[in-house]
Amino acid sequence: MGWQPIDTAPYGRELHLSVIEHGEVHALAFPCWRLDNGWLNCLTNKRVSVDPTHWRNWEG
């Protein structure tokens, strides 16, 4: 499965997120969980302040 629009990101599983910074696309290096009001780093259990544009399943 390739990159999907962020508005279709599911709850309840580890996701690989992609963000756009300074006009360039970057994939985060850690898995995240979707929350009702943001994102959680699965490795640290801390909220992440990101505005992702795309997601795909984490293949870690």
Side-chain angles (χ1 to χ4, degrees):
M1 175 196 254
W3 292 104
Q4 303 296 313
I6 199 62
D7 60 343
T8 65
Y11 293 89
R13 64 183 194 218
E14 293 183 351
L15 303 176
H16 196 178
L17 301 181
S18 176
V19 299
I20 297 177
E21 291 182 344
H22 309 294
E24 294 184 19
V25 178
H26 301 279
L28 299 184
F30 50 86
C32 292
W33 281 86
R34 184 176 184 180
L35 304 174
D36 286 334
N37 57 354
W39 298 94
L40 184 76
N41 181 325
C42 293
L43 303 178
T44 64
N45 286 323
K46 294 186 179 184
R47 292 182 57 88
V48 214
S49 179
V50 294
D51 190 18
T53 57
H54 291 81
W55 72 275
R56 65 182 176 193
N57 289 323
W58 181 260
E59 300 294 329

